[in-house]
Amino acid sequence: MRVRLSLLIIAIIGAIGNASAQRDTEVTDRIFVSFNTSTYTDFVTTPVRMVSTVVGHDPNPNDPSGPGIPVSAEVPYQSQGWSLFSIGIEPRFNLYEMSEEAAVAVSVPFSFGMHQVFPKSNDLGGSESFGGVQIPLLAKLYLGSGSTYDSEKNFGLSLGFGFEFNKLGLITIGQSDGEDGTSGWMMPVASLGIHFWRGTMPAEINLKYGFGGTEKYYIDKYGDHLKDDFGNLTSKSSRASSFKLSFGYLLNY
């Protein structure tokens, strides 16, 4: 993952160098800023992680009537979050403008979401918390409306790919064992945008999808081995993901 991110950053730096050859265009004429919102359409799932937590208690011979001796085990931990409302800003820089209606850009559509966070399933430990942050780094191709300041098209399209940092669960609400399971993570992300005019302002409907690798787990949150309906040992799998449908306005067009 880090190698791919490094290659993407190197490619972006190289494109910036090539873009400096466009002497007829000022740098400020290739900077765009969008304001984005998402209502009920922002979903995030963390990776499966093995986290050390207390799964039970053994009798304490020195205090038989006491709570017992805590027993810890490595158990699978995964949370998911659904945002009631997300808000974000997307700075964008056109690295290379092929024409008035086409450009290659880099953008960082970071956002904060009012995520309600809870365990992914009954088999898994998870966080009971609130809030989430997403910081993607995307290389994007723009065609048509909104691609440059000189565009005269009424409609346009954008395609993007890159990597996204996620942090799900900013404020703990309930009891959350296993703090290692709440740390941030990186994963690939792709986006598709439809651009159009709404009144006197360029607008966008954007779909963003992030996807992590599949992780298997063989025990549940209590440390017991998973079994199928016939009592045979089995496994389950899950993956990190993010899905967001958002609406945005260009602020400085």
Side-chain angles (χ1 to χ4, degrees):
M1 184 73 70
R2 293 180 179 177
V3 173
R4 286 182 289 180
L5 180 59
S6 299
L7 291 175
L8 176 62
I9 294 173
I10 292 171
I12 290 172
I13 293 174
I16 292 174
N18 292 334
S20 65
Q22 294 182 288
R23 303 301 183 182
D24 57 331
T25 304
E26 297 293 335
V27 171
T28 54
D29 292 337
R30 288 184 274 141
I31 296 175
F32 300 76
V33 180
S34 298
F35 175 75
N36 304 315
T37 61
S38 177
T39 305
Y40 303 124
T41 54
D42 186 358
F43 306 90
V44 180
T45 302
T46 72
V48 176
R49 291 166 168 148
M50 299 304 293
V51 174
S52 179
T53 187
V54 175
V55 295
H57 293 80
D58 285 338
N60 187 344
N62 299 319
D63 186 9
S65 61
I69 301 173
V71 177
S72 297
E74 295 282 329
V75 301
Y77 192 102
Q78 186 179 35
S79 303
Q80 64 181 6
W82 171 54
S83 178
L84 305 177
F85 181 74
S86 298
I87 186 171
I89 296 292
E90 180 179 2
R92 164 188 145 204
F93 180 72
N94 279 2
L95 300 172
Y96 181 66
E97 296 181 349
M98 292 82 78
S99 69
E100 295 178 351
E101 308 295 345
V104 174
V106 60
S107 73
V108 186
F110 62 88
S111 66
F112 165 77
M114 299 172 62
H115 290 84
Q116 313 299 307
V117 185
F118 43 89
K120 175 69 164 52
S121 74
N122 293 330
D123 293 327
L124 298 161
S127 174
E128 295 180 15
S129 53
F130 174 83
V133 174
Q134 299 176 25
I135 309 177
L137 174 62
L138 301 174
K140 302 180 75 171
L141 171 66
Y142 287 84
L143 300 171
S145 178
S147 55
T148 73
Y149 285 111
D150 297 320
S151 173
E152 297 181 356
K153 298 291 186 180
N154 292 323
F155 293 93
L157 184 72
S158 66
L159 300 169
F161 181 80
F163 292 89
E164 176 178 79
F165 172 80
N166 281 268
K167 177 71 168 69
L168 189 63
L170 304 179
I171 301 174
T172 299
I173 297 174
Q175 182 177 358
S176 295
D177 295 328
E179 292 301 321
D180 290 342
T182 63
S183 58
W185 75 96
M186 295 283 294
M187 63 183 174
V189 65
S191 73
L192 170 65
I194 299 175
H195 303 259
F196 55 94
W197 284 84
R198 185 173 184 181
T200 59
M201 296 184 67
E204 176 188 6
I205 295 176
N206 184 270
L207 174 63
K208 179 173 66 66
Y209 177 66
F211 48 96
T214 300
E215 300 288 342
K216 283 189 175 184
Y217 58 98
Y218 301 87
I219 60 175
D220 62 16
K221 62 184 178 182
Y222 303 108
D224 298 326
H225 290 283
L226 295 174
K227 296 181 179 181
D228 60 21
D229 295 337
F230 301 99
N232 299 314
L233 295 179
T234 186
S235 66
K236 295 184 179 181
S237 62
S238 189
R239 66 192 303 170
S241 66
S242 68
F243 174 91
K244 179 187 288 184
L245 182 64
S246 60
F247 184 83
Y249 282 109
L250 272 173
L251 299 178
N252 62 333
Y253 197 86

